[in-house]
Amino acid sequence: EAGVAQSPRYKIIEKRQSVAFWCNPISGHATLYWYQQILGQGPKLLIQFQNNGVVDDSQLPKDRFSAERLKGVDSTLKIQPAKLEDSAVYLCASSSWRAGGAADTQYFGPGTRLTVL
Amino acid sequence: AQKVTQAQTEISVVEKEDVTLDCVYETRDTTYYLFWYKQPPSGELVFLIRRNSFDEQNEISGRYSWNFQKSTSSFNFTITASQVVDSAVYFCALSEPYILTGGGNKLTFGTGTQLKVEL
């Protein structure tokens, strides 16, 4: 079974430029997550989708970050304009959806390492 | 609010030593899930184990074992006879259910423990 796919693996941009990351979840997984992992820290959830609807985007800096999952499968995360503090690894994960708060396992992609100069 | 504490920032051991990674969590939920993930230098988070709050049995998988103690809110991870390939950052995580959505959950991660296994 194919895992979570992400591209690109690495990206270097100048501050104030725009960048987009792509994620394709494990087939059949209804839930998709984007995380930001700053060096030396644990991943922090940016946004969670259930199919093509947003479940939680409370920690997404909406003035510069946006994400979409139009057809309920793959997803794009965009930063516009980028700041120096956005340098991080952006991880995508997917899982099945369970009602009642039960936690299904999240499986992660290889991540995109973003460097903002 | 949910919180996960991994007090050990970095641990160095010599190959074949046993090593325990500590994880302490805080939650007000009565039903919750705990996870351990491994992040090798390649960067991908690899799932190791998922445990729900009603199952306090310890688990062993090869050289890996987990000790879940609800009384002390701890979920510690032991690697027996460590190997160089075990070198990685290990994260403990706690799930938080979304009450208003009727399903789904959110993971809160600890800051990770860097394990270095040397020859």
Side-chain angles (χ1 to χ4, degrees):
Chain A
E1 179 182 272
V4 177
Q6 288 188 249
S7 67
R9 292 295 313 277
Y10 305 92
K11 191 73 178 179
I12 300 174
I13 61 173
E14 307 243 335
K15 60 182 179 184
R16 290 189 289 273
Q17 284 188 325
S18 302
V19 64
F21 313 126
W22 175 83
C23 172
N24 193 39
I26 292 172
S27 178
H29 278 186
T31 312
L32 185 147
Y33 314 77
W34 283 102
Y35 288 86
Q36 180 191 58
Q37 185 179 18
I38 292 172
L39 186 65
Q41 299 181 18
K44 182 187 82 171
L45 180 70
L46 291 175
I47 187 167
Q48 180 180 166
F49 291 96
Q50 160 66 1
N51 294 315
N52 60 352
V54 175
V55 173
D56 183 356
D57 62 358
S58 58
Q59 298 193 88
L60 187 73
K62 298 180 186 64
D63 57 334
R64 298 183 301 104
F65 286 65
S66 64
E68 58 183 17
R69 194 185 184 199
L70 294 176
K71 296 182 180 178
V73 181
D74 57 347
S75 175
T76 303
L77 176 70
K78 296 179 181 177
I79 308 175
Q80 181 180 11
K83 292 185 175 181
L84 296 176
E85 58 261 37
D86 298 332
S87 293
V89 176
Y90 291 85
L91 294 161
C92 180
S94 71
S95 72
S96 301
W97 172 269
R98 293 199 187 186
D104 212 336
T105 299
Q106 296 183 26
Y107 295 93
F108 286 78
T112 297
R113 185 176 298 276
L114 173 67
T115 302
V116 182
L117 302 175
Chain B
Q2 310 257 326
K3 186 177 179 182
V4 176
T5 300
Q6 295 180 256
Q8 304 152 308
T9 304
E10 185 173 319
I11 300 175
S12 290
V13 298
V14 176
E15 203 174 38
K16 298 184 183 175
E17 285 185 0
D18 298 347
V19 58
T20 295
L21 309 181
D22 298 332
C23 173
V24 175
Y25 61 92
E26 295 176 27
T27 180
R28 292 183 178 178
D29 296 318
T30 54
T31 302
Y32 52 89
Y33 291 77
L34 292 160
F35 298 79
W36 276 95
Y37 284 87
K38 173 183 180 180
Q39 189 171 43
S42 60
E44 184 169 345
L45 278 164
V46 177
F47 166 71
L48 295 177
I49 189 170
R50 166 179 171 260
R51 176 54 54 86
N52 76 51
S53 53
F54 295 107
D55 181 4
E56 290 192 69
Q57 275 194 327
N58 291 331
E59 181 156 339
I60 298 174
S61 176
R63 296 184 297 106
Y64 295 169
S65 62
W66 289 269
N67 180 266
F68 177 30
Q69 295 203 344
K70 221 168 170 177
S71 59
T72 56
S73 296
S74 65
F75 187 42
N76 296 337
F77 172 32
T78 298
I79 301 174
T80 303
S82 60
Q83 300 176 2
V84 172
V85 294
D86 296 326
S87 297
V89 180
Y90 290 86
F91 289 97
C92 180
L94 170 68
S95 75
E96 171 183 8
Y98 288 110
I99 304 301
L100 296 180
T101 63
N105 69 94
K106 172 182 177 179
L107 282 185
T108 298
F109 284 84
T111 51
T113 298
Q114 169 85 56
L115 174 64
K116 294 183 178 178
V117 182
E118 299 165 337
L119 292 170

